Amino acid sequence: MRYPDPVLKRRAEPVAAVDAGIRALIEDMYAIMRKEEGLGLAAPQVGRSLRIFVTEKHEDFPARAYINPCLIAADGPVAVREEGCLSLPGISVNVRRPSHVRIEATGIDGERFELEDSGLMGRCWLHEHDHLEGRLITDWMSPIDRLAARRALRDLEEAFEEGR
Ligand code: ZN
């Protein structure tokens, strides 16, 4: 799903149980993330308003699914880094985020786990968690960013209207 599809702006619903349907959805999400060469992908990006995201293997982190994730901490010095999003092709935004993140979630095995990171994976968790809250990188744009991305955003809006 691409901007401005309304599913991307909706707050996603909790997952009641990690059943076969959820596991199949997660397999699809891994496949799409890999095809698009993203570091992460959230369920609303595949049109499902559920609190799930997946991340690709990165440094010491294996590829993993996060079901009903909960941010335990997002603190430390704020860092600025350019972020892109598979739902907003051609657009990148400098996003300010806390540099240290602790997250708790349910894995595909149904067990809760907890992780922390002060690098790119921590930032990825915040980006994907934003998707579950209905937030996109466009929500972090400065007026200058918005001006610079005006044409790309308009093209996406027109493509969405044509596809309806
Ligand atoms: Zn994204």
Side-chain angles (χ1 to χ4, degrees), residues 113-125:
F113 63 87
E114 196 181 310
L115 291 171
E116 67 182 309
D117 188 51
S118 298
L120 182 60
M121 188 52 72
R123 174 170 289 265
C124 181
W125 295 335

Side-chain angles (χ1 to χ4, degrees), residues 101-135:
V101 185
R102 276 177 64 184
I103 193 166
E104 186 193 273
T106 299
I108 199 155
D109 59 0
E111 299 290 324
R112 292 296 278 180
F113 63 87
E114 196 181 310
L115 291 171
E116 67 182 309
D117 188 51
S118 298
L120 182 60
M121 188 52 72
R123 174 170 289 265
C124 181
W125 295 335
L126 294 176
H127 177 113
E128 301 310 330
H129 189 268
D130 274 354
H131 277 296
L132 307 185
E133 296 298 310
R135 270 194 303 271

Side-chain angles (χ1 to χ4, degrees), residues 40 45 84-87 127-128 131 136-137:
Q45 294 182 275
C85 181
L86 298 179
S87 295
H127 177 113
E128 301 310 330
H131 277 296
L136 296 172
I137 53 173

Side-chain angles (χ1 to χ4, degrees), residues 9-162:
K9 298 301 290 175
R10 210 173 290 148
R11 189 169 191 275
E13 296 294 323
V15 174
V18 184
D19 57 17
I22 292 296
R23 286 192 294 270
L25 169 61
I26 287 169
E27 286 309 312
D28 289 347
M29 288 170 64
Y30 278 130
I32 293 165
M33 172 176 71
R34 286 173 177 152
K35 182 166 161 272
E36 306 279 335
E37 297 178 1
L39 180 60
L41 186 75
Q45 294 182 275
V46 298
R48 299 290 300 277
S49 195
L50 288 168
R51 301 188 79 77
I52 304 173
F53 65 77
V54 295
T55 58
E56 185 54 289
K57 176 179 158 41
H58 176 73
E59 292 174 348
D60 293 338
F61 293 99
R64 192 185 273 278
Y66 302 72
I67 301 161
N68 297 334
C70 171
L71 294 172
I72 299 168
D75 50 29
V78 168
V80 181
R81 187 170 175 145
E82 197 171 80
E83 293 183 22
C85 181
L86 298 179
S87 295
L88 287 138
I91 290 170
S92 56
V93 181
N94 284 316
V95 183
R96 297 165 58 85
R97 297 197 191 270
S99 51
H100 172 251
V101 185
R102 276 177 64 184
I103 193 166
E104 186 193 273
T106 299
I108 199 155
D109 59 0
E111 299 290 324
R112 292 296 278 180
F113 63 87
E114 196 181 310
L115 291 171
E116 67 182 309
D117 188 51
S118 298
L120 182 60
M121 188 52 72
R123 174 170 289 265
C124 181
W125 295 335
L126 294 176
H127 177 113
E128 301 310 330
H129 189 268
D130 274 354
H131 277 296
L132 307 185
E133 296 298 310
R135 270 194 303 271
L136 296 172
I137 53 173
T138 47
D139 294 305
W140 299 106
M141 279 178 163
S142 69
I144 291 168
D145 291 333
R146 206 164 278 284
L147 204 61
R150 192 176 50 185
R151 176 158 201 156
L153 289 171
R154 200 187 55 211
D155 287 349
L156 285 166
E157 286 159 7
E158 283 174 7
F160 179 73
E161 285 304 322
E162 281 164 18

